[in-house]
Amino acid sequence: MSTQPGKPGPETRSRILDAAEALFVEHGLDGTSMRMITAAAGVNLAAVNYHFGTKDSLIHEVFKRRLGELNQARIAALDRAERRAREQGGGLKPSQVLEAFFTPSLEMVADTAGGGRTFMQLLGRTYTEPNAFVRKFLAEEYAETLQRFLQALYDSLPGVPREEILWRFHFMMGATSYAIAGTDALQLFAGHFDDEDPARMLPRLISFLLGGLRAPLPDFVNAAPRPSRAAKTPDAT
């Protein structure tokens, strides 16, 4: 395979992004070198510099190219759920909010041919391995979408303090990131396990998350409720 940059174009750019994405999943952002990326993509450093300039810019583009699609799918799902609720003369249920948020994630996990699964695994790894540069970018990219969904959760759970909903949403992100990473961990304590169908994972995941979302409040919250205060928005997977 040629290692020359050749004519600048979408094919070379996409090949670099695909290679970087897969390597970031396997080795982490810090553990992946530019040399590893150029070798996997079959290009030289000049090609990477031409298309992206720096490693940080490359990381930025790896995330950006799929985040827009994911955000749009989530908002569209929430819009549809809200329309159905209005037509039925009621408000959104927590289960409908969660389904609108998490279904697009699992649909992307099912996209093995187009790289969606790899990207979602990268998002999951990013959630558990903090990187200041990526966290800042994700917070900015997700801000509008997350605020829309958090408000929908606040409205659907009027009896739960907002601070508790934020905490529970944070826990949901962690559980989902773990699930998206794959079922390999189940081998550690369950032996043979081959049910990774995202269509089966969604109802299991929603059932689990709803249980946590609707769980009784901790005693200290019931005993001494505190006014809600501004909190950092959780990262989204």
Side-chain angles (χ1 to χ4, degrees):
M1 182 180 295
S2 172
T3 58
Q4 297 302 314
K7 293 183 179 180
E11 181 183 352
T12 300
R13 189 176 189 276
S14 294
R15 194 162 72 246
I16 295 168
L17 288 170
D18 289 343
E21 187 175 71
L23 288 169
F24 290 152
V25 171
E26 184 176 358
H27 302 286
L29 300 177
D30 295 333
T32 301
S33 68
M34 294 294 274
R35 183 184 295 275
M36 293 164 66
I37 294 170
T38 56
V43 300
N44 61 21
L45 187 58
V48 179
N49 289 336
Y50 176 86
H51 288 283
F52 304 102
T54 66
K55 183 180 177 182
D56 280 352
S57 295
L58 173 57
I59 292 172
H60 182 279
E61 290 301 316
V62 165
F63 282 92
K64 184 178 180 180
R65 69 171 176 163
R66 299 194 200 272
L67 282 177
E69 175 187 347
L70 183 59
N71 283 336
Q72 290 172 9
R74 283 170 163 163
I75 292 298
L78 186 60
D79 286 342
R80 290 192 297 270
E82 288 177 338
R83 282 197 302 270
R84 288 194 297 268
R86 286 195 298 269
E87 291 169 357
Q88 295 169 1
L92 283 178
K93 299 177 181 178
S95 60
Q96 294 172 309
V97 180
L98 296 188
E99 287 172 1
F101 189 83
F102 291 107
T103 297
S105 296
L106 295 183
E107 289 176 344
M108 192 168 278
V109 170
D111 176 22
T112 56
R117 182 180 181 86
T118 302
F119 178 70
M120 293 307 297
Q121 288 175 327
L122 176 59
L123 270 186
R125 178 161 187 164
T126 301
Y127 190 77
T128 57
E129 297 179 9
N131 177 288
F133 169 77
V134 174
R135 283 294 183 89
K136 182 177 184 296
F137 166 70
L138 290 180
E140 294 170 353
E141 192 74 13
Y142 271 124
E144 184 176 349
T145 299
L146 282 180
Q147 288 306 320
R148 174 88 182 272
F149 274 89
L150 285 172
Q151 186 61 54
L153 280 178
Y154 299 153
D155 294 342
S156 68
L157 294 164
V160 181
R162 292 191 173 194
E163 185 172 346
E164 284 305 303
I165 292 177
L166 281 171
W167 271 109
R168 294 179 184 203
F169 194 78
H170 171 69
F171 297 148
M172 286 190 284
M173 292 300 99
T176 305
S177 297
Y178 187 81
I180 285 173
T183 56
D184 291 347
L186 289 174
Q187 308 289 346
L188 297 177
F189 54 86
H192 180 68
F193 191 90
D194 58 5
D195 187 0
E196 296 187 63
D197 183 355
R200 293 177 179 270
M201 186 186 297
L202 179 62
R204 286 172 172 147
L205 179 63
I206 296 299
S207 176
F208 176 80
L209 297 181
L210 276 174
L213 192 61
R214 293 169 169 166
L217 295 174
D219 290 341
F220 70 85
V221 174
N222 290 320
R226 295 180 297 172
S228 177
R229 62 176 185 272
K232 293 180 65 178
T233 301
D235 294 324
T237 301

